[in-house]
Amino acid sequence: MKKTLSIAAALAIMISCKKESTEQDFSKNPIGEKSELLTKASNFFKSVSTVPEENIPQEKIDLGKKLFYDKTLSKNGTISCNSCHNLSTFGVDNKSVSEGDTKELGVRNSPTVIYSSLHAMQFWDGRAKNVEEQAKGPLLNPVEHSIPNEAFLEKKLRSIPEYQALFKKAYPKDKEPITFDNLANAIGAFERKLIPKSKFDDYLDGNESALNDQQKKGLNSFIDNGCITCHGGVALGGQMFQKFGVYGDYSKMTGSKKLDRGLYDISKKEGDQFLFKVPSLRNVEKTAPYFHDGSVTSLKESIKIMGKLQLNKDIPDNEVNDMVAFLKTLTADADARYKK
């Protein structure tokens, strides 16, 4: 079931968060006592420290890592999962749209795989329920990995002795370990380990000195402007659908060359026009360009666009600058052992 939030509900949350002066002193609070800001933030966000660690066999993680980086998983051997979701650059390729196995360009921006397992659904239109299901989609997409069918890839991997041994080790109970389902399961196992801890997590865990005064002002502005309506929880997004352009035509502000109708393209329901999965804001500093089509390169500009289109607000430059400072505290790189 898709999740949407009405404008009325959004306004109710916004109104409930009493606007505080940006001149407020966030540097002082009694020793051992949680500050008012941290108390408020804890109502909307959760640290990755609260996410239970999944007990995944190391053999599956290692196999998933190898598959993630292997260009064998494309028909012509030109791209891997990492080509579009580069873990050396925070899980993205920093392109508006990505080039596939046949050099053809996709139509939507490739989101980061870091933290993707925390999302309630995958892809901009939410058509996959988890990272395992998501891993299958690009492989069989003619514009992406261009694998013609599941059997083609299974046969290709079964001809490689190293994969015969690795799949048998990861799936010892299976009569035929090398299957399309097991391949996706292994890639998902690897991606589920990509949950690094950021400065903001440290702050939420109680270390209030993890954020400086400007970053705290930005956090306060982020909450009071109503951004938490969609960007909350552990992932700061990724949990619901929302219309892009509640208060106007998004393409006029983003300069998008093509109008994408989002979920409507799948459901064909009029009410789903321009509904997209709300992206996570974790690592947003590093994952430009922004929006479903990668149409905007500036984080500051993206904040101003979201304020106008989604909240009907002209957010002042000083608050935008503070919010950028806050959003940079969400930056966290994947563990070095998961990089190639």
Side-chain angles (χ1 to χ4, degrees):
M1 180 182 294
K2 70 173 184 285
K3 304 176 184 178
T4 59
L5 203 64
S6 69
I7 297 174
L11 289 173
I13 292 176
M14 290 164 58
I15 292 169
S16 69
C17 299
K18 184 179 180 182
K19 184 70 175 177
E20 298 177 6
S21 169
T22 55
E23 297 303 314
Q24 181 178 351
D25 185 356
F26 294 107
S27 63
K28 298 178 181 178
N29 59 283
I31 295 174
E33 184 177 318
K34 186 186 291 188
S35 70
E36 183 179 343
L37 178 61
L38 178 54
T39 300
K40 182 163 66 170
S42 298
N43 290 326
F44 302 108
F45 310 106
K46 298 298 178 185
S47 167
V48 294
S49 300
T50 66
V51 179
E53 186 170 356
E54 296 187 60
N55 185 21
I56 304 173
Q58 191 61 45
E59 293 80 6
K60 285 187 181 181
I61 298 169
D62 292 342
L63 173 58
K65 177 183 176 181
K66 181 173 177 58
L67 290 165
F68 185 86
Y69 286 101
D70 196 347
K71 292 182 179 180
T72 301
L73 271 64
S74 58
K75 183 179 179 181
N76 299 305
T78 65
I79 67 168
S80 67
C81 300
N82 191 67
S83 297
C84 301
H85 305 285
N86 193 339
L87 290 182
S88 293
T89 51
F90 294 86
V92 298
D93 59 7
N94 296 120
K95 298 177 181 178
S96 294
V97 292
S98 303
E99 190 177 78
D101 183 57
T102 61
K103 307 303 180 185
E104 189 175 351
L105 293 175
V107 296
R108 287 178 179 157
N109 180 257
S110 297
T112 179
V113 290
I114 301 178
Y115 301 109
S116 60
S117 64
L118 300 177
H119 299 191
M121 73 283 281
Q122 306 293 320
F123 296 114
W124 284 100
D125 53 20
R127 64 185 181 275
K129 64 182 180 180
N130 54 37
V131 288
E132 288 79 14
E133 189 173 310
Q134 185 279 331
K136 296 179 178 181
L139 297 176
L140 302 180
N141 188 310
V143 178
E144 296 181 60
H145 288 243
S146 194
I147 297 294
N149 52 60
E150 296 179 12
F152 177 93
L153 186 53
E154 290 172 344
K155 182 179 179 180
K156 194 175 185 181
L157 295 180
R158 287 170 189 168
S159 69
I160 302 173
E162 184 180 9
Y163 274 127
Q164 293 176 14
L166 290 173
F167 271 89
K168 186 175 182 179
K169 189 176 181 181
Y171 302 94
K173 296 181 180 180
D174 291 11
K175 184 177 180 180
E176 175 49 79
I178 300 180
T179 65
F180 195 68
D181 284 345
N182 283 350
L183 176 151
N185 180 264
I187 293 175
F190 171 65
E191 292 182 353
R192 288 180 182 279
K193 305 305 291 184
L194 304 176
I195 309 178
K197 189 174 182 180
S198 68
K199 282 185 179 181
F200 187 52
D201 294 303
D202 196 17
Y203 174 78
L204 290 173
D205 287 340
N207 178 14
E208 301 207 34
S209 64
L211 271 59
N212 63 34
D213 284 353
Q214 185 184 23
Q215 292 162 347
K216 290 174 182 177
K217 287 180 181 179
L219 168 59
N220 195 62
S221 291
F222 187 89
I223 294 172
D224 285 354
N225 275 295
C227 305
I228 41 79
T229 300
C230 298
H231 296 287
V234 180
L236 283 88
Q239 307 305 311
M240 65 173 73
F241 289 96
Q242 187 58 278
K243 181 179 180 180
F244 187 27
V246 174
Y247 291 99
D249 181 347
Y250 78 78
S251 66
K252 292 181 179 178
M253 292 200 71
T254 61
S256 300
K257 296 178 181 178
K258 181 181 178 181
L259 198 62
D260 188 331
R261 298 182 184 277
L263 184 61
Y264 171 82
D265 289 345
I266 293 176
S267 71
K268 303 304 179 184
K269 297 178 181 178
E270 286 300 316
D272 290 342
Q273 292 261 20
F274 309 116
L275 286 184
F276 294 91
K277 184 186 83 170
V278 174
S280 166
L281 294 183
R282 285 186 175 270
N283 278 327
V284 69
E285 171 198 8
K286 302 291 187 179
T287 54
Y290 304 110
F291 305 127
H292 64 276
D293 55 359
S295 53
V296 178
T297 59
S298 165
L299 181 54
K300 288 179 64 173
E301 183 64 20
S302 297
I303 293 171
K304 294 181 81 69
I305 288 171
M306 289 299 288
K308 194 65 177 176
L309 283 177
Q310 305 305 109
L311 302 169
N312 201 25
K313 289 186 174 186
D314 293 308
I315 302 176
D317 286 342
N318 66 308
E319 289 194 43
V320 171
N321 290 334
D322 290 344
M323 281 196 269
V324 168
F326 159 62
L327 291 174
K328 288 183 177 181
T329 70
L330 300 174
T331 299
D333 205 355
D335 193 302
R337 62 183 156 163
Y338 300 129
K339 296 183 181 182
K340 192 172 182 180

